[in-house]
Amino acid sequence: MIKLIDTFSYTNRLRSVSPMWKSGFAAVLMVLSYLSHPVTQMMIVGWLFVWITLYARIPVKAYSLLIGASCLFYAASLPAIVIEFTSAGPVSPDGMILFTFARWTSYVTEAGIYEAGSLLARIIACLSCLAFVMLTTPMSELFQVMKKWRVPSLVLELMIIMYRFLFVLSDTAQQMYTAQRARGGQTGFYRRLNDTAILIVRLFGKSMHRYQGLSQGLVTRGFADSIQMAPVQAAPLPFRYIWESRIGVILLLLIELWLRWGEML
């Protein structure tokens, strides 16, 4: 997945747009997604879907896979949000009983379902903002944006090294998996479990060996305790994107104010 995201970030149609503008635009929508009504959040999701799939030309399948895979963490916590237990007294009037065991009763309420739906809308809206930045902006340019935001140089260097290490780890795991398949491994349930355990045990050692070679390569190339990043040369931002983003944010704010005014009446 990380290689796919990195490929799209360099080949999308919004690649030449200023990374500072894209980050600021996503940050504004992120704040609005976190604080707004579910209706506004769904409108943000639809608007960013247009930006990502139509303007940036990111495949819908890849975008849906990224959002869906992230929502699996929400699905894992869904039972704790929706399902309630009680050991004494009747359940809530709007509750639907799932099962009863001994003195314990499990049930689901309408308030719990509404809360889960509201949380899902907020999660998808915030994930859409993150996906917009991830799929349209290379990581090297995001580091430049962080540098302009006065992020400490030590933190940036650690992030650059960790980002590079992710690719080293992924390549090493893929090579070891291919080697196991070439030797007849990964065939059968129990043998696959055993081969996967061996791969995990040996993966860290081999990755650290490759990473040590990377560190030695930096030293031989004159590494002087600071990693210099190439400057970003962004193309001029089209007026269409400027006005569309401004009008869209203003309309979302007006819709949010109208919804909250209607709740107060």
Side-chain angles (χ1 to χ4, degrees):
M1 178 63 73
I2 185 173
K3 290 185 178 180
L4 187 64
I5 294 174
D6 194 66
T7 301
F8 286 139
S9 67
Y10 280 96
T11 58
N12 68 91
R13 295 290 183 87
L14 298 178
R15 166 71 170 82
S16 60
V17 177
S18 171
M20 183 66 73
W21 180 87
K22 288 185 287 188
S23 301
F25 178 59
V28 171
L29 292 182
M30 174 75 77
V31 174
L32 187 58
S33 299
Y34 186 79
L35 300 175
S36 61
H37 194 272
V39 175
T40 308
Q41 293 167 353
M42 288 295 97
M43 296 181 68
I44 293 175
V45 172
W47 191 27
L48 287 177
F49 180 83
V50 174
W51 276 88
I52 294 173
T53 60
L54 296 182
Y55 296 169
R57 300 296 184 185
I58 302 297
V60 177
K61 182 178 180 181
Y63 172 68
S64 302
L65 180 63
L66 178 62
I67 299 297
S70 302
C71 288
L72 291 177
F73 295 96
Y74 166 77
S77 61
L78 188 60
I81 300 174
V82 178
I83 301 177
E84 299 185 18
F85 293 89
T86 182
S87 60
V91 300
S92 177
D94 61 342
M96 181 180 65
I97 298 177
L98 297 178
F99 63 87
T100 302
F101 180 76
R103 295 185 305 170
W104 292 91
T105 301
S106 174
Y107 63 97
V108 177
T109 62
E110 294 182 1
I113 296 176
Y114 177 79
E115 181 180 358
S118 301
L119 182 59
L120 178 61
R122 180 179 300 172
I123 289 174
I124 295 178
C126 293
L127 285 175
S128 299
C129 299
L130 291 176
F132 174 75
V133 177
M134 292 169 56
L135 295 173
T136 61
T137 311
M139 200 64 193
S140 58
E141 296 183 1
L142 289 178
F143 289 143
Q144 289 285 359
V145 173
M146 296 177 192
K147 186 177 181 180
K148 291 183 179 180
W149 286 351
R150 305 296 182 181
V151 175
S153 58
L154 179 60
V155 177
L156 281 178
E157 291 175 5
L158 289 175
M159 294 177 66
I160 293 173
I161 294 173
M162 291 175 62
Y163 183 69
R164 172 58 181 165
F165 186 73
L166 289 176
F167 288 94
V168 173
L169 191 67
S170 176
D171 291 339
T172 305
Q174 184 64 35
Q175 292 175 6
M176 295 177 66
Y177 179 79
T178 304
Q180 286 183 344
R181 290 293 301 269
R183 292 177 174 85
Q186 300 288 344
T187 57
F189 180 73
Y190 292 104
R191 189 170 182 179
R192 182 171 297 176
L193 289 177
N194 183 50
D195 291 340
T196 303
I198 295 174
L199 188 148
I200 294 173
V201 170
R202 297 179 179 175
L203 177 62
F204 182 76
K206 195 167 183 178
S207 299
M208 290 303 298
H209 179 72
R210 290 189 59 186
Y211 188 72
Q212 185 178 5
L214 176 64
S215 301
Q216 293 175 353
L218 288 174
V219 174
T220 56
R221 290 175 175 85
F223 178 68
D225 296 333
S226 63
I227 300 176
Q228 301 296 328
M229 294 177 288
V232 178
Q233 297 180 353
L237 186 64
F239 287 102
R240 171 192 173 187
Y241 293 157
I242 296 176
W243 287 107
E244 182 176 347
S245 60
R246 291 177 179 177
I247 294 174
V249 171
I250 293 174
L251 288 177
L252 289 173
L253 288 174
L254 292 176
I255 293 173
E256 178 63 21
L257 292 175
W258 179 71
L259 291 173
R260 292 189 178 275
W261 178 261
E263 291 179 351
M264 293 174 60
L265 295 179

